[in-house]
């Protein structure tokens, strides 16, 4: 299960919520297991997941989604029993005796009441669950302008409270299933980097190397998401996108990459030298890696994110990059590539067991090269357990 039920209950108790509604793509998937394709590929499409209290447990209650996505509900391992649809979507029914399980489920949901508007469907579900006079948390990130006001007008006796930060907080501590998915997607990202570097040769373009990286990602049943791959001077472009720049002797190769596996994200960074080593690059890389390693030693339950940030930056400076500056040195990762916590100077976050974080130390010399060490860790009772390992600077023979 993705949902950390105990943590959700504690936060609902703390906020006095009788129910909570997810509207953003990550929160809908987290609360229900439902991956609404249109929501994930563009802003605007509406899908909601509603969780209500049931004594000392949450009731896996409801999904509200468009008629055109009912096939996804039918074909996925969703953790709800109630589905309401809005908006008509036409298709032809086949012979009942030849329908597979997903098709039968789709037809059954299609036979249910169809609402003209997503908020009408959500309001009807709130009333059906006798929540029309309840205190309800709702994340507002996925709502279209004016939709919250429409919901309040449709259920005037309910008290709606912004729960965007509440759901973000709940998602920070991962379940065992979430950690397993994050471990796997980290492994896939590392395998894809190794495959890309294994194909490196003089004259290879950034685009060609990216093609190997992403192909390996797909072959491992993950989906390409992040692919910053740059050679030489282009490696110093913070968000470099692969180009026709060809690989040359002495180039730094920088990867800031990841993929998505069963909806969960990887984010790692790797550095390699092509054809020859560089003592200057080695020293800089060692300082950056030392910062990440110190951060991993400090990352344990109860540690303040701001203190980890300050210590990592100071370690990089102590190890040779005297002018090292960053606005953050890491972040949480999960359904969102930038989950909480944030390892920054102003962060109020405190690390907890079960959080999965990326610790990173990028360094950019514009016009020369960019270097970056970034790895994924899960916080355990004993400290940070490594999910990925950048290791020493890689040197690739031409």
């Amino acid at each position: 299960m993705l949902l950390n039920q105990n943590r959700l209950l504690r936060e609902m108790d703390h906020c006095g919520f009788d129910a909570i509604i997810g509207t953003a793509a990550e929160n809908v998937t987290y609360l229900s297991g439902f991956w609404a394709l249109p929501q994930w590929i563009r802003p605007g499409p509406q899908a909601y997941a509603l969780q209500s209290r049931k004594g000392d447990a949450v009731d896996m209650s409801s999904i509200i989604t468009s008629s055109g996505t009912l096939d996804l509900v039918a074909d996925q391992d969703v953790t709800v029993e109630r589905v309401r649809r809005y908006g008509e979507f036409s298709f032809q029914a086949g012979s009942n005796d030849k329908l597979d399980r997903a098709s039968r489920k789709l037809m059954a949901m299609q036979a249910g009441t169809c609402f003209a508007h997503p908020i009408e469907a959500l309001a009807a579900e709130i009333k059906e669950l006798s929540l029309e006079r309840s205190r309800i948390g709702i994340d507002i990130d996925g709502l279209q302008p004016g939709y919250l006001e429409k919901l309040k007008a449709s259920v005037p006796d309910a008290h709606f409270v912004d729960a965007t930060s509440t759901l973000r907080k709940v998602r920070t501590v991962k379940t065992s299933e979430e950690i397993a998915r994050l471990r796997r997607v980290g492994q896939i990202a590392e395998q894809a980097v190794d495959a890309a570097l294994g194909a490196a040769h003089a004259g290879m373009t950034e685009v060609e190397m990216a093609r190997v990286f992403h192909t390996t990602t797909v072959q491992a049943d993950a989906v390409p998401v992040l692919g910053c791959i740059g050679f030489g001077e282009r490696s110093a472009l913070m968000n470099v996108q692969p180009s026709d720049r060809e690989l040359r002797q002495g180039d730094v190769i920088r990867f800031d990459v990841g993929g998505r596996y069963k909806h969960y994200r990887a984010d790692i960074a790797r550095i390699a030298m092509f054809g020859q080593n560089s003592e200057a690059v080695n020293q800089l890389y060692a300082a950056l890696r030392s910062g990440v390693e110190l951060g991993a030693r400090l990352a344990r339950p109860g540690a303040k994110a701001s203190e980890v940030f300050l210590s990592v930056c100071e370690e990089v400076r102590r190890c040779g990059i005297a002018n090292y500056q960053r606005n953050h040195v890491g972040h949480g990762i999960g359904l969102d590539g930038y989950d909480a916590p944030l390892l920054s100077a102003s962060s109020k976050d405190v690390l907890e067991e079960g959080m999965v974080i990326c610790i990173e130390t990028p360094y950019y010399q514009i016009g020369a090269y960019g270097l970056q060490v970034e790895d994924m860790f899960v916080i355990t009772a004993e400290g940070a357990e490594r999910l990925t390992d950048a290791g020493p600077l890689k040197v690739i023979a031409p």
Side-chain angles (χ1 to χ4, degrees):
M1 178 178 289
L2 306 183
L3 174 62
N4 188 329
Q5 292 193 48
N6 291 334
R7 189 173 177 86
L8 178 61
L9 277 170
R10 287 197 300 272
E11 290 303 317
M12 289 178 70
D13 284 342
H14 177 72
C15 297
F17 294 154
D18 301 299
I20 196 162
I21 300 168
T23 70
E26 294 85 358
N27 289 330
V28 172
T29 298
Y30 183 71
L31 290 173
S32 67
F34 175 46
W35 184 78
L37 170 65
Q39 250 194 338
W40 283 87
I41 61 175
R42 62 187 176 91
Q46 300 291 286
Y48 314 132
L50 186 155
Q51 293 280 357
S52 59
R53 292 296 302 266
K54 190 175 184 180
D56 292 331
V58 288
D59 179 17
M60 301 296 182
S61 49
S62 313
I63 288 172
I64 291 85
T65 192
S66 68
S67 297
T69 57
L70 291 180
D71 64 318
L72 294 171
V73 180
D75 203 34
Q76 295 175 13
D77 185 22
V78 299
T79 53
V80 300
E81 296 179 358
R82 302 172 60 85
V83 179
R84 288 189 182 267
R85 68 185 180 100
Y86 67 87
E88 293 291 355
F89 187 88
S90 299
F91 55 81
Q92 301 304 311
S95 174
N96 285 340
D97 61 350
K98 295 182 179 179
L99 295 180
D100 63 310
R101 182 197 62 82
S103 298
R104 288 194 302 272
K105 190 173 180 180
L106 168 60
M107 293 302 299
M109 289 186 291
Q110 181 72 10
T113 302
C114 181
F115 294 84
H117 192 279
I119 294 300
E120 291 179 15
L122 178 57
E125 185 64 6
I126 290 171
K127 293 172 184 177
E128 180 69 20
L129 294 172
S130 300
L131 293 168
E132 62 266 42
R133 290 179 174 82
S134 300
R135 180 178 170 86
I136 301 173
I138 181 168
D139 92 79
I140 62 175
D141 281 356
L143 292 174
Q144 288 279 60
Y147 278 25
L148 181 58
E149 290 73 19
K150 183 177 179 66
L151 180 60
K152 290 178 177 179
S154 300
V155 195
D157 294 327
H159 181 40
F160 293 98
V161 180
D162 184 358
T164 305
S165 61
T166 300
L167 283 169
R168 181 170 172 81
K169 183 177 180 181
V170 172
R171 293 202 331 258
T172 60
V173 174
K174 272 56 179 180
T175 63
S176 58
E177 174 61 24
E178 291 182 287
I179 292 169
R181 295 186 187 191
L182 288 160
R183 187 186 303 276
R184 178 59 186 143
V185 74
Q187 293 169 347
I188 291 170
E190 291 192 308
Q191 292 165 6
V193 170
D194 289 343
L197 289 176
H201 59 83
M204 184 183 205
T205 66
E206 293 170 345
V207 168
E208 290 169 338
M209 184 168 284
R211 191 175 298 136
V212 177
F213 174 84
H214 291 309
T215 297
T216 306
T217 298
V218 172
Q219 288 172 338
D221 298 326
V223 178
V225 177
L226 176 63
C228 297
I229 301 175
F231 302 160
E233 72 291 342
R234 287 180 52 79
S235 67
L237 300 177
M238 295 77 77
N239 302 296
V240 62
Q241 294 301 289
S243 73
D244 291 331
R245 162 59 155 90
E246 294 183 351
L247 187 59
R248 300 192 290 263
Q249 180 88 358
D251 275 345
V252 165
I253 306 170
R254 183 173 72 89
F255 292 82
D256 183 5
V257 292
R260 187 187 298 276
Y261 173 75
K262 294 184 177 180
H263 315 316
Y264 281 75
R265 293 280 300 272
D267 185 2
I268 65 172
R270 299 291 181 262
I271 300 297
M273 292 291 302
F274 181 69
Q276 65 186 47
N277 208 337
S278 163
E279 185 58 32
V281 170
N282 259 307
Q283 290 177 359
L284 293 170
Y285 181 88
L288 299 172
R289 187 182 177 204
S290 184
V292 169
E293 295 303 312
L294 176 63
R297 293 194 297 273
L298 296 175
R300 58 183 57 254
K304 294 180 179 179
S306 59
E307 293 179 358
V308 174
F309 167 82
L310 294 171
S311 296
V312 168
C313 290
E314 183 55 37
E315 175 69 4
V316 175
R317 296 183 196 112
R318 187 188 69 80
C319 291
I321 308 180
N323 62 343
Y324 190 70
Q325 299 289 333
R326 282 287 294 167
N327 59 355
H328 76 81
V329 295
H331 52 87
I333 192 161
L335 286 162
D336 187 347
Y338 262 69
D339 261 348
L342 183 67
L343 305 182
S344 71
S346 61
S347 177
K348 304 300 182 184
D349 296 326
V350 176
L351 302 189
E352 298 179 60
E353 183 177 357
M355 287 181 170
V356 177
I357 62 173
C358 298
I359 304 177
E360 60 176 316
T361 49
Y363 177 70
Y364 310 105
Q365 286 191 10
I366 302 301
Y369 45 69
L371 305 175
Q372 186 174 359
V373 180
E374 182 173 14
D375 274 316
M376 296 167 58
F377 302 85
V378 57
I379 307 301
T380 71
E382 292 74 34
E385 177 189 338
R386 184 181 294 280
L387 299 182
T388 64
D389 188 359
L393 180 70
K394 298 174 175 62
V395 179
I396 307 302

